[in-house]
Amino acid sequence: MDKFDNLNEIIEDKLNHIVVTDSLKERIKTKASKSKAPKSYSSGYKRAAICTVSFATVVMCIVFLFHSNISEAFEPLKKYIPGLNAVIVDSNDAETYALVDSSIIFQSENGQKIEILSCFTDGNVVKAVIRSNIPVEWKQNDTQLVTDSKGNKGKLTEFNAMGDGEKGSSDYEWIGSASFQFGRVVDRFDLLIGGLTVPVIMSKVEGVEHFEDFGNVSYENGIRVAALTQYKDNLLEVKLIGLSDDNKKILTYGNIYLVDIQGKKYLPVSSQDKDVPQNTFYFEARLKDDLEAVIPYIILADNENKKVDLKLEIPSEGDNTPVDLPVSIGTYNVNIVALQRMVNENSIVVRRSDGSKKTVENPSKTGLQIVIDKKFDKAIKNGLSGFTWSCDQKYNAIPLQIDGEATFVDPGYEQSDKYGEPRYEVISLPNFPAEQTTLDITLENFQYYREGDWSITLKK
């Protein structure tokens, strides 16, 4: 498993995968020559063009999908960003620039590496996905990191990253997203990382006139889905493109399968490529069998990270008064149905990173469980399926040093089977003080379930 597979739980979710058609690829190729590396690259580095499918989960979490209400067919101002598998909406018909279906790689003789996995402009803001083994300490509003072709400095407005390994070690690297604001729209700039300068050159992105350019379209439950195919490693590759009418981006195409004219089903199989985008699937099938792709459900998210801030009054220990607190999350109404003071056991069993267990003394004797009824039921075909939460870290599990390594303890109480159904979200705070009477908590990263049975005839 890729060590960054869980990054979508850490970096703000911001990408919906969309794939370019063959006709668009031809148009893009005419632009590619404009984005070749300048001759001023130092001899210690090299630039290579690679298909940007590496770290697909990371890219899915980082790049925005901008679009307006699209109850009609795909409108002209939407622009495909090659190399990102994304479509943006250019509401002001401004020029948009991006790397052309390739990323930039720099690698020095001493092993330092910088990869610009993707990059595009949103007005005068440049958004990039970067991976490197060079430690950085970037701070918001820093103006020493990027310079445009006229020598003007850009300002770092956003930076989210995750590192793996110890800094300075041979296996250390990080991957993250960065946004740089310039005083104008730029098509090239220099990026400074660890004292090394990376020249980035982008090409102008043309508009996409019709959603149907991407293939046959299936429309169900407010979502359009198209599919593109090609053969890869003797497997049929199916790439899905989706747009929703309600300004949400697609995270997951659930339980996709193919069915041929005889009714035979084909389930996805593993690809030799370990870094596969979330919208790409492989099958042991051939198009000559008149195949249809069927998608039973889709998981979506908001384009912007909506947040709901709550201030909860916590009942005293022993107060068993029923709780029914309504909470609005967009058009969805959920209810907090339990605020339960918990008493932890004197000792608890913890699971260490190697999978073994150990009984230790519990550092906290009190705790709190919050139960939220999401009213999620697959039978309704449309619902809130999940979210994350955050509050003061001191209420969460306390790391203990067990056999020389930090280990987080589990709560010393059992979760009630009553709330084990998917419709409930249970939040456990094992170190919530007995004397505390209020709690500030934030709900965010909402995900939505949409059922539809989208059926798409695959083109040969």
Side-chain angles (χ1 to χ4, degrees):
M1 180 178 292
D2 194 290
K3 53 191 163 187
F4 289 106
D5 277 350
N6 66 340
L7 190 56
N8 57 330
E9 299 176 3
I10 299 170
I11 298 179
E12 299 291 339
D13 49 323
K14 297 177 181 177
L15 173 70
N16 185 27
H17 287 279
I18 295 180
V19 183
V20 70
T21 59
D22 290 338
S23 61
L24 271 178
K25 284 180 181 176
E26 292 304 317
R27 290 158 59 188
I28 290 167
K29 286 178 183 176
T30 64
K31 303 286 183 178
S33 59
K34 298 180 181 180
S35 61
K36 292 182 179 178
K39 296 181 180 179
S40 58
Y41 282 178
S42 64
S43 59
Y45 297 92
K46 62 181 180 179
R47 182 183 188 274
I50 64 171
C51 179
T52 311
V53 295
S54 300
F55 287 81
T57 303
V58 174
V59 179
M60 184 190 70
C61 301
I62 294 173
V63 186
F64 289 95
L65 173 71
F66 299 95
H67 63 84
S68 58
N69 189 346
I70 52 167
S71 57
E72 299 301 324
F74 208 41
E75 296 175 353
L77 291 183
K78 293 168 179 64
K79 295 182 176 181
Y80 172 79
I81 305 299
L84 299 184
N85 288 333
V87 165
I88 66 169
V89 165
D90 180 2
S91 57
N92 298 315
D93 198 20
E95 291 186 338
T96 302
Y97 297 90
L99 291 183
V100 178
D101 66 359
S102 64
S103 65
I104 297 175
I105 301 177
F106 280 102
Q107 188 160 350
S108 67
E109 294 179 357
N110 63 2
Q112 290 182 314
K113 185 169 70 172
I114 303 169
E115 295 182 50
I116 312 297
L117 293 172
S118 57
C119 186
F120 77 101
T121 61
D122 177 20
N124 64 336
V125 175
V126 172
K127 298 181 179 181
V129 182
I130 306 167
R131 171 179 159 185
S132 179
N133 59 5
I134 304 174
V136 296
E137 296 292 339
W138 287 355
K139 296 181 180 180
Q140 187 141 337
N141 298 322
D142 194 336
T143 58
Q144 304 304 310
L145 303 175
V146 289
T147 306
D148 69 15
S149 58
K150 295 186 177 181
N152 300 312
K153 300 288 185 180
K155 178 174 65 175
L156 179 69
T157 58
E158 183 180 12
F159 181 57
N160 297 295
M162 174 185 175
D164 186 80
E166 295 294 328
K167 289 184 178 179
S169 66
S170 59
D171 61 348
Y172 173 75
E173 61 182 8
W174 59 268
I175 186 169
S177 65
S179 295
F180 304 100
Q181 184 176 27
F182 290 89
R184 62 187 182 91
V185 177
V186 300
D187 63 352
R188 62 186 64 198
F189 62 95
D190 289 336
L191 171 63
L192 182 66
I193 296 183
L196 303 176
T197 300
V198 182
V200 180
I201 301 177
M202 299 173 285
S203 294
K204 186 177 178 181
V205 177
E206 304 294 344
V208 178
E209 294 183 357
H210 300 289
F211 186 69
E212 285 73 11
D213 286 348
F214 295 98
N216 290 337
V217 176
S218 178
Y219 183 79
E220 292 283 342
N221 210 350
I223 301 176
R224 286 175 171 80
V225 181
L228 298 176
T229 61
Q230 65 177 353
Y231 290 106
K232 183 176 180 180
D233 299 326
N234 205 34
L235 296 174
L236 177 62
E237 180 186 79
V238 178
K239 293 187 177 182
L240 301 177
I241 307 162
L243 288 173
S244 70
D245 289 346
D246 57 356
N247 198 30
K248 287 182 172 58
K249 64 177 175 286
I250 295 173
L251 296 180
T252 304
Y253 297 92
N255 293 346
I256 179 178
Y257 63 90
L258 305 185
V259 59
D260 65 19
I261 195 171
Q262 303 298 329
K264 179 182 177 181
K265 283 187 177 181
Y266 301 83
L267 299 179
V269 297
S270 298
S271 167
Q272 294 180 9
D273 188 348
K274 66 178 181 179
D275 299 316
V276 178
Q278 295 289 318
N279 69 329
T280 304
F281 304 87
Y282 294 91
F283 300 88
E284 293 178 338
R286 289 293 180 265
L287 291 174
K288 64 182 178 60
D289 295 319
D290 294 331
L291 298 171
E292 282 193 351
V294 179
I295 308 162
Y297 70 89
I298 288 174
I299 301 296
L300 305 99
D302 298 304
N303 274 309
E304 297 180 359
N305 186 25
K306 295 180 180 178
K307 298 183 179 182
V308 175
D309 296 317
L310 302 174
K311 189 176 187 67
L312 302 177
E313 298 291 333
I314 309 302
S316 58
E317 186 176 339
D319 184 351
N320 297 319
T321 304
V323 175
D324 187 15
L325 301 176
V327 178
S328 294
I329 299 175
T331 59
Y332 299 88
N333 295 315
V334 303
N335 288 73
I336 298 175
V337 296
L339 293 169
Q340 302 173 337
R341 296 273 188 176
M342 309 300 295
V343 178
N344 299 331
E345 302 294 335
N346 290 330
S347 62
I348 59 177
V349 176
V350 298
R351 184 175 288 105
R352 294 176 290 191
S353 59
D354 62 0
S356 61
K357 296 180 180 180
K358 187 180 182 73
T359 301
V360 299
E361 187 70 16
N362 191 350
S364 175
K365 305 302 180 186
T366 64
L368 175 69
Q369 273 192 348
I370 305 166
V371 181
I372 301 176
D373 184 356
K374 299 176 292 187
K375 303 179 181 178
F376 172 66
D377 185 350
K378 290 185 178 180
I380 63 177
K381 295 190 175 184
N382 190 348
L384 177 70
S385 62
F387 53 84
T388 62
W389 54 271
S390 60
C391 65
D392 195 318
Q393 292 295 311
K394 65 185 179 183
Y395 305 139
N396 293 332
I398 297 175
L400 300 177
Q401 287 293 324
I402 298 177
D403 297 340
E405 62 178 282
T407 303
F408 283 87
V409 304
D410 294 324
Y413 46 81
E414 295 294 329
Q415 180 174 308
S416 170
D417 291 338
K418 177 181 178 181
Y419 300 118
E421 301 175 12
R423 67 179 288 169
Y424 296 107
E425 196 80 27
V426 179
I427 299 172
S428 295
L429 302 177
N431 298 302
F432 191 80
E435 65 275 10
Q436 184 104 2
T437 59
T438 61
L439 171 67
D440 294 321
I441 189 167
T442 298
L443 310 182
E444 55 189 328
N445 297 323
F446 303 108
Q447 295 187 5
Y448 309 93
Y449 173 90
R450 199 78 57 84
E451 187 175 319
D453 270 347
W454 291 265
S455 297
I456 308 157
T457 301
L458 301 184
K459 289 185 176 181
K460 295 182 181 179

